[in-house]
Amino acid sequence: MTTIAHLTDFHLLEADHDRRRGAERWRLRYLSFGRPIDAAQRRRRALAVLVEAWRSGADHLVLTGDLTEDGTPAQFEVLAAVLAESGWDPARVTLVPGNHDAYAGGDAWERALRGCLCPFAATSGRETAVALPGALVTAVSTAMMQPVTRSAGAIAARELSRVAALAAETRRSGDALVLAQHHPPLRHSIGAMQWLDGLINSAELMALLHEHDHLHVIHGHTHRENDAPVRAGAPPRIFGAQALVDGASPLRFYRVRHGRLLSERTRVRRGASAFALA
């Protein structure tokens, strides 16, 4: 049975961030408001839980965005180093960017995939997908260029068309189609918050979810665990995870069965586990 591990919202920092000055220093402090600006601690947490996920024996790992605090090249280098140290084979990992990964530049993610994250380009670049027994996992970017005071996301029209085509193909094959993305497809109940913090074209994606019962979304952004149905009373097909940067149980697992993605209880070893909150 295929098992997928899910982590999100690392918010990794470069070790020498205290050398920042001016606008870059202000940007980091604004984005890290409410969280200790401790690069070493964030790196330790990330490595510990990545190792936990690797030791679980999961078939594939999905990281759903905000992997860095503001998307600088040095922060992507930290991410690449932590992933390499964790033991995960890049062929078994799908990475997607979040809004934080684009604050330093709209092309920051693409540059990272051509640079330090190039081992993951085949599973995490635009129009990539990973075939697993019973499921197809595909990376969907919701990152867009915007000021740091806004945290919205959007999926390009071309990308939505690709998802629709994949949904039609996997519907015929009977496999589950799993979208790995940062922003959840559900709308905020307050319209202004949808513009500020939501997925701008959520209606288009929700329409595809209503049309295809084998289509699932794994996301981050909300910093909390959440399972949501597409229709009232139906099994959940939209899954969010706690933020690794400050969540008590950020590691989630899903199993694939009969064209469905099913949530498992979090499996994190306690006590002597490498996953320590310190």
Side-chain angles (χ1 to χ4, degrees):
M1 183 179 297
T2 299
T3 302
I4 298 172
H6 176 204
L7 292 166
T8 193
D9 293 79
F10 287 36
H11 293 271
L12 289 170
L13 296 164
E14 71 275 28
D16 60 349
H17 61 81
D18 56 345
R19 299 177 61 182
R20 290 193 185 199
R21 295 293 181 268
E24 287 199 355
R25 183 180 181 88
W26 174 87
R27 182 177 70 203
L28 181 60
R29 290 184 176 276
Y30 178 86
L31 292 171
S32 288
F33 180 77
R35 292 190 292 267
I37 305 178
D38 187 332
Q41 182 190 46
R42 295 191 195 186
R43 190 189 192 283
R44 285 195 303 270
R45 283 179 62 93
L47 178 59
V49 76
L50 282 167
V51 171
E52 284 289 334
W54 180 77
R55 288 175 177 169
S56 75
D59 300 287
H60 198 73
L61 172 66
V62 175
L63 309 184
T64 54
D66 281 3
L67 305 179
T68 66
E69 191 65 280
D70 56 356
T72 66
Q75 291 172 358
F76 285 121
E77 292 280 358
V78 174
L79 174 62
V82 169
L83 285 166
E85 192 174 346
S86 72
W88 277 97
D89 179 351
R92 295 171 55 203
V93 180
T94 294
L95 315 173
V96 296
N99 49 289
H100 278 254
D101 300 311
Y103 285 132
D107 64 342
W109 182 253
E110 285 71 20
R111 286 189 284 108
L113 285 179
R114 294 193 299 268
C116 62
L117 295 180
C118 65
F120 303 90
T123 57
S124 309
R126 293 184 184 274
E127 302 186 8
T128 60
V130 178
L132 301 171
L136 187 71
V137 178
T138 187
V140 175
S141 174
T142 63
M144 65 182 197
M145 191 64 180
Q146 60 191 329
V148 295
T149 52
R150 189 183 180 198
S151 52
I155 302 174
R158 176 179 175 179
E159 186 73 351
L160 281 170
S161 296
R162 183 181 73 91
V163 169
L166 287 176
E169 293 174 13
T170 48
R171 187 173 188 169
R172 290 192 293 269
S173 68
D175 291 337
L177 177 58
V178 182
L179 309 186
Q181 62 186 64
H182 183 62
H183 290 78
L186 298 171
R187 289 183 59 85
H188 282 279
S189 57
I190 302 173
M193 285 300 298
Q194 178 66 21
W195 179 87
L196 181 68
D197 188 59
L199 182 65
I200 300 306
N201 48 354
S202 62
E204 290 89 336
L205 182 52
M206 287 302 297
L208 287 173
L209 284 161
H210 277 280
E211 182 179 356
H212 299 282
D213 287 341
H214 68 295
L215 180 58
H216 305 74
V217 173
I218 296 177
H219 69 84
H221 191 61
T222 62
H223 281 222
R224 65 180 183 272
E225 184 173 320
N226 184 57
D227 294 3
V230 174
R231 301 179 186 85
R237 286 193 282 129
I238 302 169
F239 303 97
Q242 294 179 22
L244 188 147
V245 69
D246 53 18
S249 301
L251 180 57
R252 295 203 66 180
F253 294 94
Y254 315 96
R255 68 183 186 276
V256 178
R257 186 175 183 183
H258 304 311
R260 295 282 184 174
L261 196 66
L262 306 174
S263 174
E264 291 188 348
R265 300 296 298 177
T266 301
R267 300 181 301 180
V268 178
R269 285 193 292 272
R270 305 294 181 179
S273 169
F275 177 47
L277 300 186

